[in-house]
Amino acid sequence: MDKRINVAVLVSGGGTNLQALIDFEKDGKLTSGKIVKVISSKEGAFAIERAKNAGIDWAVVQRKGKSQEEFEKGILDELTLCKADVIVLAGFMCILSKDFTDKYKDRILNVHPSLIPSFCGEGFYGLKVHEAALGYGVKVTGATVHFVNEIPDGGKIIMQKAVEILDGDTPEVLQKRVMEQAEWKILPASLEKVCLSLLKGE
Ligand code: GAR
């Protein structure tokens, strides 16, 4: 019997973090989890192509044109269908309600491109986070993987990794460095850690 934890990955965009998770699993390093579905909040997101290429089941639940309740119901239906035990938000640009996060307490992981509690919370997503870090003039930034609760970027921290800011950095250059040096490493490692502790019943 396959005893691995079923993992669903929620995405909205390019999906490089999803790719890092797929590669980690392909390399045999996700020993306690199995990616069973990719759910995109946006039609046409490149992340869907990554799921297709990896042979992973996928679905689109559009955020646009729906109430929060309808949107979350759509996602919950997909999660039930694929029997997801753990959810990873990998570049998922939508906020989830307390109703939703309470259903998966300590089972939703998010990757955020800064060292929380800096440059996080509502309005801080994607390139905006790096613009804010450069604008403030910090010399070190990084990425954080944390559990998701009803407070945007406010759940318990699982892993963090620092990344240096260099003279002449643009938001785009910094985003790439933070992804390469931090996000793509700590997101898969955190997923394995959480799945392993669930399997052990911790
Ligand atoms: C990543 O940098 C991720 O940390 C960030 O958006 C990017 C998505 O890239 N997420 C947030 O800002 C969430 N608050 P990806 O689609 O290539 O993984």
Side-chain angles (χ1 to χ4, degrees), residues 4-5 14 26-27 56 62 65 84 100 108-109 153 176-177:
R4 289 179 296 168
I5 300 284
K26 229 190 280 163
D27 290 348
I56 300 169
Q62 284 246 67
F100 188 106
I108 310 176
L109 287 72
D153 300 322
K176 188 158 178 277
R177 189 179 313 117

Side-chain angles (χ1 to χ4, degrees), residues 13-18 90-93 110-113 124-126 129 153 175 179 183:
T16 63
N17 277 290
L18 167 66
F92 182 67
M93 301 303 181
N110 180 48
V111 60
H112 182 78
F124 286 100
Y125 57 87
V129 179
D153 300 322
Q175 179 181 53
M179 284 174 157
E183 296 185 49

Side-chain angles (χ1 to χ4, degrees), residues 51-192:
K52 283 184 194 168
N53 289 338
I56 300 169
D57 198 13
W58 59 277
V60 174
V61 179
Q62 284 246 67
R63 177 67 189 91
K64 223 171 127 187
K66 286 194 189 80
S67 67
Q68 182 76 22
E69 225 180 324
E70 285 166 340
F71 175 59
E72 291 186 354
K73 164 94 172 56
I75 292 180
L76 286 170
D77 287 349
E78 291 293 345
L79 294 172
T80 307
L81 273 177
C82 69
K83 300 188 168 64
D85 298 310
V86 164
I87 304 163
V88 180
L89 311 186
F92 182 67
M93 301 303 181
C94 309
I95 289 186
L96 296 168
S97 71
K98 178 167 165 49
D99 262 5
F100 188 106
T101 57
D102 279 355
K103 288 191 173 75
Y104 289 89
K105 190 172 166 0
D106 292 340
R107 284 167 182 261
I108 310 176
L109 287 72
N110 180 48
V111 60
H112 182 78
S114 75
L115 293 174
I116 289 175
S118 289
F119 313 116
C120 63
E122 221 163 330
F124 286 100
Y125 57 87
L127 269 183
K128 287 178 194 283
V129 179
H130 305 293
E131 282 163 9
L134 291 173
Y136 197 96
V138 291
K139 301 299 174 203
V140 175
T141 185
T144 304
V145 178
H146 62 92
F147 285 116
V148 175
N149 62 12
E150 69 277 14
I151 303 159
D153 300 322
K156 203 167 53 189
I157 289 172
I158 303 167
M159 281 187 195
Q160 286 189 305
K161 192 164 187 295
V163 174
E164 237 188 306
I165 292 183
L166 303 178
D167 286 347
D169 271 352
T170 62
E172 290 78 8
V173 167
L174 182 57
Q175 179 181 53
K176 188 158 178 277
R177 189 179 313 117
V178 169
M179 284 174 157
E180 285 172 355
Q181 294 185 6
E183 296 185 49
W184 301 342
K185 293 193 165 113
I186 63 172
L187 183 60
S190 298
L191 178 60
E192 171 64 9

Side-chain angles (χ1 to χ4, degrees), residues 7-69:
V7 177
V9 185
L10 272 53
V11 296
S12 303
T16 63
N17 277 290
L18 167 66
Q19 191 64 54
L21 293 167
I22 290 171
D23 294 344
F24 191 78
E25 181 172 5
K26 229 190 280 163
D27 290 348
K29 294 179 187 159
L30 189 61
T31 59
S32 311
K34 181 181 181 198
I35 304 171
V36 291
K37 191 160 219 164
V38 171
I39 304 170
S40 173
S41 65
K42 270 200 190 139
E43 204 111 45
F46 189 69
I48 299 168
E49 300 308 311
R50 297 183 190 272
K52 283 184 194 168
N53 289 338
I56 300 169
D57 198 13
W58 59 277
V60 174
V61 179
Q62 284 246 67
R63 177 67 189 91
K64 223 171 127 187
K66 286 194 189 80
S67 67
Q68 182 76 22
E69 225 180 324

